[in-house]
Amino acid sequence: MITNEQLLLLEKYLKESNNIVFFGGAGVSTESGIPDFRSKDGLYNNMGVDFSKYKPEYLLSFACLYHEPDVFFEFYRQKMDTRNYKPNITHNVLAKLEEIGKLSAIVTQNIDGLHQKAGSKNVYEIHGTTSVCHCMNCGREYDGNYIFDCDENIPHCQYCGDEDAIIRPNVVLYGENLPEYTVAKAISAIEKADCLIIGGTSLTVWPANTFLSYFKGNHLIIINNEHLDIPINEKTDLNITDTLGNVFTKIDEMFKG
């Protein structure tokens, strides 16, 4: 739990910062009910029996999409449909901080679009998004609902008239590179930040775990439900072991009025 001393420092650091960047992972969305991939209660440990013979990484890989699209889309529809989930306190407070000019950008590893639902405008989705999909043949973009609502097991482009013209999600799959433009913008935002908040991510997945090295600002604030052994400057930084919901509820109180 966050201590009183940490709480006072957190308020001081946030109020003296005017170019805050938030870097978040799956833990941001778990409090909305969306399971993460790697926790003991996460997606990878609750796969449906139909997928039990496959490795989790394979089911969300380009190889699966290419070689076994029927398996890929069945898994995708069952596990990646987050349309009915709502933003939680963390999403909402981040949107508020952006609105009042404190927060300049959100860099997220999540693909659920909950930051945008909460009202955040400057969001860099380095792993892509489920809200958009596109034809692998002609490149035409579709709304993300198309894959989830399509009657076909394997969704095809309505314009190409080609059985090989598959509609795929704008999600970075295993075996694919992160989007260069989005990553460049995310890194630029982190480089310019005077305060970087890292929340809900273990920083174990490459290359996202390298993003911290670009931060040269005044205050690094780490918030995670489990303690992360990340070196910090005890005089200027914070490593808070607590839920994001609890910490952001307190942040919300700091900026009321």
Side-chain angles (χ1 to χ4, degrees):
M1 294 288 288
I2 186 171
T3 66
N4 288 333
E5 181 183 5
Q6 286 177 324
L7 190 59
L8 290 171
L9 286 172
L10 177 63
E11 182 170 11
K12 177 180 182 296
Y13 294 164
L14 293 181
K15 289 193 172 179
E16 69 185 28
S17 301
N18 293 296
N19 188 1
I20 301 170
V21 170
F22 179 83
F23 181 88
V28 177
S29 293
T30 53
E31 291 180 33
S32 289
I34 299 176
D36 71 19
F37 280 9
R38 290 175 172 79
S39 73
K40 64 180 181 180
D41 299 316
L43 175 63
Y44 277 13
N45 291 285
N46 285 278
M47 292 187 299
V49 65
D50 293 340
F51 310 116
S52 60
K53 66 179 182 178
Y54 298 99
K55 290 184 178 181
E57 289 84 358
Y58 175 73
L59 291 164
L60 281 177
S61 70
F62 181 79
C64 184
L65 172 63
Y66 184 80
H67 295 292
E68 299 183 84
D70 53 334
V71 173
F72 174 88
F73 284 107
E74 181 62 24
F75 181 79
Y76 183 83
R77 288 188 176 105
Q78 286 193 32
K79 303 297 187 181
M80 298 291 108
D81 189 355
T82 60
R83 292 175 295 173
N84 293 325
Y85 291 91
K86 296 180 179 179
N88 58 53
I89 184 69
T90 301
H91 299 105
N92 292 330
V93 173
L94 288 169
K96 176 181 177 180
L97 292 174
E98 182 184 50
E99 184 179 3
I100 64 175
K102 300 291 288 184
L103 183 129
S104 59
I106 292 171
V107 179
T108 180
Q109 300 175 75
N110 298 332
I111 59 176
D112 50 51
L114 290 184
H115 286 296
Q116 290 90 334
K117 281 187 180 180
S120 292
K121 302 292 192 297
N122 200 25
V123 182
Y124 300 120
E125 297 170 303
I126 60 173
H127 289 168
T129 177
T130 60
S131 65
V132 181
C133 49
H134 69 273
C135 174
M136 294 174 66
N137 184 50
C138 71
R140 183 184 291 268
E141 284 199 347
Y142 287 73
D143 185 274
N145 292 322
Y146 184 81
I147 291 177
F148 295 116
D149 297 337
C150 181
D151 292 332
E152 295 181 292
N153 290 336
I154 301 172
H156 291 91
C157 183
Q158 298 174 336
Y159 301 91
C160 286
D162 185 338
E163 63 179 14
D164 294 325
I166 294 176
I167 302 297
R168 61 155 291 173
N170 283 21
V171 172
V172 179
L173 305 176
Y174 285 96
E176 296 182 317
N177 295 323
L178 300 187
E180 290 184 9
Y181 175 81
T182 303
V183 168
K185 297 291 285 185
I187 289 173
S188 177
I190 291 172
E191 286 178 327
K192 296 173 183 175
D194 56 10
C195 176
L196 176 64
I197 304 174
I198 295 176
T201 175
S202 61
L203 289 178
T204 58
V205 179
W206 186 90
N209 59 358
T210 66
F211 282 32
L212 177 57
S213 65
Y214 295 98
F215 177 63
K216 308 300 180 186
N218 301 322
H219 302 298
L220 172 65
I221 300 170
I222 299 166
I223 308 168
N224 201 62
N225 196 29
E226 297 179 358
H227 179 73
L228 298 182
D229 189 20
I230 296 175
I232 64 169
N233 185 332
E234 299 286 349
K235 296 180 180 179
T236 59
D237 304 334
L238 287 171
N239 192 345
I240 300 168
T241 304
D242 201 346
T243 65
L244 285 166
N246 186 47
V247 175
F248 273 85
T249 296
K250 297 182 184 303
I251 293 174
D252 191 31
E253 294 168 357
M254 296 173 189
F255 290 93
K256 279 187 175 175

